[in-house]
Amino acid sequence: SDFVLVWETIPRELLKPKDSSENKGVRERSAIIHRTWRKRFLDKLLDIGIHMEKHVSRMEKKVVHYLLLSAPWSVLCYYAEELQLRLPLQALPNQASNWSARVLGRLGIRNVMAEEVPNLPLDHYTCQFKVNKLQWFLGSDRQDTFFSTTQRHQILYEILATTQYGRSKDREVGVDWLLSENVFSAAFPLHDGPFKLPPEESAPSSLNQRQILFQYWANWRKWYKYQPLDHIRKYFGEKVAFYFAWLGFYTGWLLPAAVVGTLVFIAGIFLMFDDVPAQEVCESKEQYRMCPLCKSCPYWLLSSICKTFKAGRLFDHGGTIFFSMFMSLWAVMFLEYWKRMNASLAHRWDCSDFEDIEERPRPQFTAMAPMTIINPITGAEEPYFPKRNRHHRILAGSMVIIMMIAIVVMFVVSVILYRVVVAILLSSSGYFRFVASASRIASITGSVVNLLFILILSKIYISLAHFLTKWEMHRTQTKYEDAFIFKVFVFQFVNFYSSPFYVAFFKGKFVGYPGNYVNFLGVRNEECSPGGCLIELAQELLIIMVGKQIINNMQEVVIPKLKCWWQKQRFASSKKVPKEGESVQAEKAPWEMNYQLLVFEGLFDEYLEMVMQFGFITIFVAACPLAPLFALLNNWVEIRLDAQKFVCDYRRPVAERAQGIGIWFYILEVIAHLAVISNAFLIAFTSDFLPRTYYKYIYDINLHGYVNFSLSHAPWDFVQHNNSACRYQAFRDLDGNFSSTYWQLLTIRLGFIIAFEHVVFFIAGLIKLLVPDIPESVEVKVKRERYLAKEALAENKVGFASLGTLAAELQLAAPLPPPVLPSCFEAPQ
């Protein structure tokens, strides 16, 4: 069978007798409506020609009905042409290759990442299926294997998604609506068989496709091996395969970034011990008496922040500039080389023109569109929703997004206020430990509170975005997903990055000076902790990025296992009741075992997690050179975790076609460009690099006296009012006005930003020019494929003409020797 429909019923004798007659009546009416819809739907499927096989599993408290569906040859042929499926003309050896394998081969180094996976799928020259050209397609004489398993699933899902069971104006169309109304409990294609290997030693070639994926992909021992992408594509379809191809490619590219980042961090450790300003701070004792950090806070000594100041040097040194530039160019090169990889895979998997030419309207759009129109590309009549109406709906949806972003900003402001209040309370508490580390405690707890807000708001918004995107009525699945992804990404970008952006570019920049501090909502603006804002930003990034990764990985390990366990317990507690004369089966049927697995909910969460991670390791990399290392370690785990979920825990998803990773690529490009600008501003305004460089060239190359240079004296009126002199970090004179040094540094900072951006964007532009989007080898293959396809078709035409069968071909008569064709030419009734 190709597909399974499941529904559950409760026998009348097991209904609760305590229920009121009103509740019973409501339940019975609902059951009657569900039965009616189900009967109409299944009758329509029978009319189309779908074969059905029913199995009933009687439990103690319910009855589970399994309906196994399969499409006959005639229906498969008809819908294969309707869906414009591509089928093979000629087989080729599999031409899969990996750039690292080629490099290692040239160097003569043994490639430990390569592994021979059994039953490697062949490559093919393909073209769109036409019923009247059936004999030209490879394997057309073998009806059982001509269509692949995933193609049969696609055809069955198309039929189920477009079959009407009531009035279309009431949306009474398609299995998805029936599932949402609980008429059916589940609808899914079956897995190929069990994923566990047989107990006896068997030949690898005799394993089913699921066992091969489990053994050679979803296995922790294979963490360093290449992923079998062609096997993944054959079993799960192009959309899932493109996700894993991108994730593997991204993880491979993280390796050089992690190595360079770790070296920069190690360099920071050595610089920390030899740093002259750090030594001056630690040895200053009572030399620098600092102004209070709040109204009720005491004066404090600069020497008390010795350890924090030293820790700041781990992230803030000359290597940071190099690493920021390196990561900006790394991001550009990564995306350029992914374009090439994408083009190679799209050609090999026959989906190069999918979105432009072949993609059909979504089944839900087809069912609910109010009118039809002629498609200007295909010339076929298609359902249509007026663009003006869609634009109005998109505009209304945008207002909701803006409102949600405003809520996020309110939460960020509340976290800032929380940090200020906690810092004041701890500083005025009188406990020495709390007073000394008030700012750090407030900052760390604020980051944790912010992470909790992020996770809660994300859950609420995603369900809202689903509703809005459905309401907007997008024609194709690709456009629908792109609209949904864009909505959620804009929200998540603000949600995740607003707090780090505040720490990086706003915190401590607008505080005023002693005697004239700037207030916000009646509270004095936050200052950076004594060690500087860069170490605070690094701490914020590590808590949000690493904290989110740990929580996500725990969820991905624990939640699917718990859900699977609960599903099995639910079925185990409802023991199977055998009929008279029937013994209870020791082994459950495949459809029962598949029904106990989890529902596949799409790739959105997987992509979002990785794209947000990409933002953390590029936009703020100047503050945390270890971010790529944490990302690499996480992704090694992520690939195998996701593989196990797909192979072991999820029901098999309906294979979907795709041309690449969709709108995610354009989002990554925007992040890469934003990263250049962000890092330039981060180095110029948040880092101490430029003030130190200025001091080196103007005053002392060894930085002796830099600490005194970076501190200003409190204004006279503040000193007189408090009867005490103090210092604070700024470039101001004794009247509180900006000094000439401040304006000179501001000019240097702005000049650095312009120079940094121009250099990086110029080199990035050169990389784009030098690296073509489509590899030359792929362009040659495409031209060769078109030429061979034309030659093959021409030879067939000549053959038919010489036999005098051209007229017969036009009349759809069978050629000699005659394959079994007649049943394939009639559309299902």
Side-chain angles (χ1 to χ4, degrees), residues 492-503:
Q492 296 286 48
F493 185 88
V494 176
N495 197 9
F496 275 94
Y497 297 144
S498 52
S499 186
F501 261 105
Y502 164 74
V503 173

Side-chain angles (χ1 to χ4, degrees), residues 772-790:
D773 290 353
I774 300 173
E776 190 180 346
S777 58
V778 171
E779 287 182 339
V780 170
K781 281 179 196 171
V782 170
K783 289 173 184 173
R784 177 74 178 157
E785 183 173 26
R786 285 175 187 161
Y787 169 75
L788 286 176
K790 282 180 184 175

